């Protein structure tokens, strides 16, 4: 009987680990479903506040308009493309569609974004007509600039044309609006060849 106890303990800990993983997956699935529901509600105008998708790119917290942000994808594998700028990370295949992956932090002169388990690709919305996605360090969820204090509007004038108003949230974190439609008109962004 004593020899059965370690085997029972191992089986018990294996069952517990499996249920912990299943629980984490279920919570992640619920969170993603909730996020998608809120994004769709915000796009349809059902939300009272102006919601935006908060992302971390490099050292910056950015707000993306939900009408311009498309699918959020995990990074399965980026295929490098030779003779391109160092900020053009390569291509990913999303259900048969090739999407170019841009490291916006590197594009803006910062260090290249390290790919971690929290990294994601945020595709441009189809209405922009641009098969492209941004490599983000983390997706921070939905935010509302209506709930933030507007920072000095003159400071936004110093930013690149695709970076808009700056806000400060209740935790004193700075957020900048990113207009994906404007970045697709930038000549440097359009020329990925080196």
């Amino acid at each position: 009987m004593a020899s059965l106890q370690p085997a029972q303990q191992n089986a018990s800990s294996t069952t517990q680990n499996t249920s912990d993983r299943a629980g984490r997956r279920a919570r992640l699935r619920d969170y993603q479903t909730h996020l998608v529901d809120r994004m769709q509600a915000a796009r349809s105008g059902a939300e009272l506040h102006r919601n935006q998708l908060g992302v971390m790119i490099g050292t910056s917290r950015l707000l993306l308009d939900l009408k311009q942000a498309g699918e959020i994808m995990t990074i399965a594998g980026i295929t490098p493309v030779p003779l391109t700028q160092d900020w053009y990370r390569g291509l990913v295949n999303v259900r048969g569609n090739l999407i170019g992956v841009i490291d916006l932090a590197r594009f803006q002169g910062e260090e290249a974004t390290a790919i971690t388990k929290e990294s994601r690709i945020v595709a441009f919305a189809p209405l922009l007509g641009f098969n492209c996605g941004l490599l983000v360090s983390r997706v921070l969820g939905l935010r509302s600039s209506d709930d933030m204090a507007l920072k000095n509007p003159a400071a936004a004038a110093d930013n690149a044309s695709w970076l808009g108003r700056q806000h400060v949230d209740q935790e004193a974190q700075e957020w900048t609006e990113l207009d994906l439609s404007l970045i697709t008109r930038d000549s440097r962004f359009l020329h990925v060849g080196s």
Side-chain angles (χ1 to χ4, degrees):
M1 185 109 181
S3 63
L4 292 177
Q5 286 181 339
Q8 289 173 340
Q9 288 175 346
N10 286 341
S12 174
S13 69
T14 302
T15 303
Q16 184 177 5
N17 287 342
T18 304
S19 67
D20 287 346
R21 280 189 295 234
R24 281 194 300 262
R25 278 193 217 116
R27 286 190 301 275
L28 178 59
R29 226 181 353 263
D30 290 344
Y31 172 74
Q32 289 173 332
T33 301
H34 175 70
L35 184 60
V36 167
D37 290 345
R38 287 196 55 200
M39 286 176 68
Q40 289 173 346
R43 282 185 182 137
S44 69
E47 296 265 330
L48 296 175
H49 294 293
R50 180 173 171 233
N51 283 320
Q52 295 145 313
L53 181 64
V55 296
M56 178 71 76
I57 296 180
T59 58
S60 303
R61 285 179 170 77
L62 300 172
L63 298 169
L64 305 177
D65 187 323
L66 291 178
K67 292 178 181 156
Q68 296 180 354
E71 185 176 351
I72 301 169
M73 301 163 278
T74 57
I75 301 172
I78 300 173
T79 304
V81 177
L83 305 174
T84 56
Q85 299 289 340
D86 63 348
W87 47 265
Y88 187 81
R89 296 296 285 263
L91 296 168
V92 292
N93 184 339
V94 179
R95 292 179 300 287
N97 295 314
L98 293 178
I99 295 180
V101 179
I102 307 298
D103 185 346
L104 190 63
R106 186 73 193 124
F107 178 77
Q108 296 182 118
E110 296 180 30
E111 292 292 319
T113 301
I115 296 176
T116 67
K117 64 181 180 178
E118 293 183 326
S119 301
R120 298 289 183 267
I121 297 170
V122 178
F124 287 36
L127 69 91
L128 295 176
F130 214 75
N131 280 352
C132 187
L134 296 180
L135 176 63
V136 301
S137 305
R138 287 177 32 209
V139 173
L140 301 171
L142 293 178
R143 299 286 191 264
S144 175
S145 59
D146 294 341
D147 297 335
M148 299 180 190
L150 185 61
K151 204 174 167 189
N152 180 6
D158 298 335
N159 288 337
S161 64
W162 58 85
L163 294 173
R165 297 182 307 168
Q166 295 176 317
H167 307 273
V168 179
D169 65 16
Q170 290 89 356
E171 296 163 3
Q173 296 173 328
E174 294 185 10
W175 296 84
T176 304
E177 294 178 5
L178 171 61
D179 190 329
L180 296 179
S181 68
L182 291 179
I183 199 167
T184 61
R185 297 179 198 151
D186 184 274
S187 61
R188 193 167 70 96
F189 187 82
L190 296 174
H191 293 96
V192 299
S194 59

